[in-house]
Amino acid sequence: MDTRENNSPIFPQGDKASPDYFTGMTWVKMLVAADAGLNCQIGNVVFEAGARNNWHTHPGGQILIATDGVGYYQEKGKPIRLLHKGDVVKILPGVVHWHGASPDSAFTHIAINPNAQKGIVEWLQRVTDEEYNHFK
Ligand code: MN
């Protein structure tokens, strides 16, 4: 069976994410803009191995849908959670967290930001190597 089409990325890679808010190479392809029609922004995010975003919150909450590779997700005060294709993460408004790739695998997720009228994201401090390497 020819599975080439099944292995190709669903969405274009998109634009490089700002190094101010991301450690390591990350690309974002906006899929749905946060206009007044639905107040819901949707983007596809590709992290190279080891890449992650800063600690942050979403005033309107966020839903992540893992679609490729192996990722990390962590809420403040909790252990790092491993994410695989098909995993879904529900993040309530104001919860401090970060997400990204695991050290040895790239990772892709769809990020859904509802209630966009409340604000998309509030960035906090960088995730240090010590925090990132604390997975067990
Ligand atoms: Mn987030």
Side-chain angles (χ1 to χ4, degrees), residues 5-136:
E5 272 194 66
N6 293 335
N7 292 333
S8 64
I10 302 171
F11 305 109
Q13 188 162 257
D15 304 314
K16 288 179 183 176
S18 169
D20 292 344
Y21 307 122
F22 290 78
T23 299
M25 281 306 308
T26 307
W27 294 266
V28 179
K29 173 65 179 175
M30 199 52 60
L31 302 175
V32 176
D35 58 37
L38 289 176
N39 290 317
C40 183
Q41 182 195 72
I42 303 178
N44 188 61
V45 187
V46 178
F47 300 89
E48 69 171 6
R52 68 273 190 177
N53 49 28
N54 288 10
W55 290 99
H56 62 281
T57 64
H58 302 284
Q62 184 177 57
I63 298 163
L64 303 177
I65 301 174
T67 58
D68 198 19
V70 183
Y72 276 180
Y73 170 76
Q74 185 176 31
E75 294 183 359
K76 201 80 176 175
K78 295 184 180 178
I80 293 173
R81 177 179 160 190
L82 209 52
L83 298 180
H84 296 96
K85 181 177 180 175
D87 286 339
V88 177
V89 182
K90 180 181 172 183
I91 305 158
L92 293 177
V95 171
V96 176
H97 70 282
W98 63 270
H99 29 111
S102 56
D104 300 318
S105 170
F107 178 60
T108 304
H109 68 49
I110 296 169
I112 302 172
N113 297 305
N115 311 303
Q117 75 281 6
K118 295 179 178 174
I120 300 289
V121 59
E122 292 181 4
W123 292 112
L124 302 167
Q125 69 277 15
R126 207 166 274 281
V127 172
T128 65
D129 288 343
E130 188 183 4
E131 289 171 318
Y132 181 77
N133 292 317
H134 203 65
F135 178 75
K136 27 187 161 185

